[in-house]
Amino acid sequence: MGVFHRGVRNAFRNTVRSASVIFILALSICMALIMFMSLKTVQTKIDSVKSSIGNIVTVSPAGIRGFEGGGQLLTSENVKTVSEINNVTKVVSVLNDRVNNGTDTNLQSAIEAGNFGNRQGNRQFRTNDSSNTAINNSITQRTFTPPIQIVATSDLSNTASLNVAQFEITSGTLFDVNTSDNVALVGKDLATKNSLNVDSTFQAYSKDIKVVGIYDTGNAFTNSSLVVPLVTLQNLSDQSGLISEMVVQTSSIDSVGSVANDIKTALGNSADVVSQQDNSNSAIAPLQNIKTISLYGLIGSLVAGSIIILLTIVMIVRERRQEIGVLKAIGASNALVITQFSVESLVLTLTSSVLGILLGIVLSNPILNVLVNNSTSSTTPSGPGGGGGREFARLGAGIINGSTNSIRNLHNVIGIDIILYGLLAAIAIALIGSAIPSYMIAKVRPAEVLRSE
Amino acid sequence: MLSVKNLCKEFKSGEHKVLAVNNLNMEVPDGIFASIIGRSGSGKSTLLSMLGALDKPTSGEIIVDNTDIAKMGDRKLIKYRRDKIGFVFQSYNLVPNLTAIENVMLPMEFAGMNKNAQESRASKLLKSVGLTEDKYLRRPKRLSGGEQQRVAIARALANKPKLILADEPTGNLDSSTGSIIIKLLKNLAKSEGTTIIAVTHDIGIANQAEKTFTLKDGKLTN
Ligand SMILES: Nc1ncnc2c1ncn2[C@@H]1O[C@H](COP(=O)(O)OP(=O)(O)O)[C@@H](O)[C@H]1O
Ligand SMILES: [Mg+2]
């Protein structure tokens, strides 16, 4: 029988004690494992939330949101200034306009006015014709057709500039973004409503506009819009060189904050700068909390595990002091006795970690859920609220809802690597737990064996 | 020949000093059965532990096989204990969770002997100390004191030591079992050519020895 065999056998010498130690140690290893998995899962999620939020800064003219407010539009001069800022990789220019059926265009909106539309429409008539109380009073239920939105962007591949999540051409082709031809891409619903196909024409701004493609965004509002080349819209709407929004891409997610600040400095009062940094911070905050909890939990359970095995082995060494002296007296070296006790401690921790890993597999998801629910309810995300502009509502709704959903969707995945880490941790715990006992073993004087008689 | 020259062992506990072995000289011829007697606290165990390299002398020489073990390094001392010395203790000191035969195999394992050789030598030794075969696989708890001491003697003989050191080997046994154990030790010493030094309180046992040393206050009196 060798030293390893003896170590293994000694591990189960006192069955009740070994069972309790293994059980407690398994719990702490299980805890450590869960915390480690949470840490990994949450980190992955933070990265993906960060990258889904993207490295984008939006610049709008000061005082203008969509078609609300008032002030001066941005200029191509502004675009040039912004594109020269450090870490700015791309600036997409956007111009929005809208045309009304009858006055500006022969197109009919695919969107039904409904209660909301009629309310908005009547309010508009009232404000426009406020001097004419007679009309105001007599026409209380005037039928209202929603205007048709027109978007022009300098980069059709930039879905953020189109204010959509997806942009798919269902027939026809894209136009060249630099053209000044009177061409348009038509939303799928708008095309159906007005029986438009590729190559048909419609009227807007008293011009014939040719349809080059039909698109689908998966969204009713934008599927009832038009997309035209930037220069075309600037010419048609008499806004040459002007844009209503810049979508600025930065070189990395981490430079978003500094780029936003630089833009604010460069454009001063002429622009409102919305970076998604603040939103991303509040979206990530609950994840960061889980990460912190997990990290402390991981350290705590590793420390607890080490202390448990340390105390156990210290207890065992003290108990078997006489036996250690005898082994030395009959010719065992310190190294051999220490090896025997380390094997014993390793057997205890490895058995515990197998049990701990099994427990971890069973318990990790429920525990992660508890962590997530506690930390999301403790940090109420600032919702879109009222009054916020189009931009804010978009960001608010998209990011905050998106990220809380993604937090809820966190799911621990046990991989071979995690099990390996678990076993490594167990071995580390066993070795740490054997260090002090080893010193105690080395200190036992074989002559003590005679003294105790 | 084992010879001890000017051996001193001093224990210090704070200010308090005890000279447990005080300038002791002795010679023990090879292959004899020698006994050491003396009152409790006279330094018998301390002397024995230095002879067996369990402890280092404060000063003096212990010459075994022409080498002074007092000057040996730790690695050599481990080998010396393992190969040259066999210990028999008053309270047997068998490893509790090993069987009788495993206890006897232990020193041979330390010496690097292969398992089959360990096993066959261990059973031979157990047979020679008179343990019946049905008890080879018992743990110490299930053996009587006399049986445990037989196993301990077999273990002491495992690596064919030059010297067996026994500290009151019959101290925990009744007198008839004690005299059987002493007879066993004497016979083995004769047949294996092993020197035996046994510490004892029992004058009857001391009288059977070929040479008896009497210790008083860390010094020999005869
Ligand atoms: N480790 C030690 N520390 C302090 N004093 C010791 C130690 N070992 C022995 N002594 C002292 O040395 C003296 C001799 O002890 P010991 O050799 O055990 O005597 P004996 O075996 O003859 O009864 C005693 O006074 C004892 O108290
Ligand atoms: Mg004594």
Side-chain angles (χ1 to χ4, degrees), chain A residues 445 451, chain B residues 11 13 18 20 39-47 167:
Chain A
R445 291 167 53 247
R451 288 281 297 161
Chain B
F11 290 109
S13 42
V18 179
R39 269 198 237 142
S40 178
S42 58
K44 308 180 295 291
S45 294
T46 307
L47 175 60
D167 196 0

Side-chain angles (χ1 to χ4, degrees), chain A residues 21-23 25-26 29 347-357:
Chain A
V21 167
I22 286 172
F23 180 69
L25 203 54
I29 288 173
V347 167
L348 287 175
T349 40
L350 284 181
T351 313
S352 308
S353 48
V354 169
L355 201 65
I357 288 169

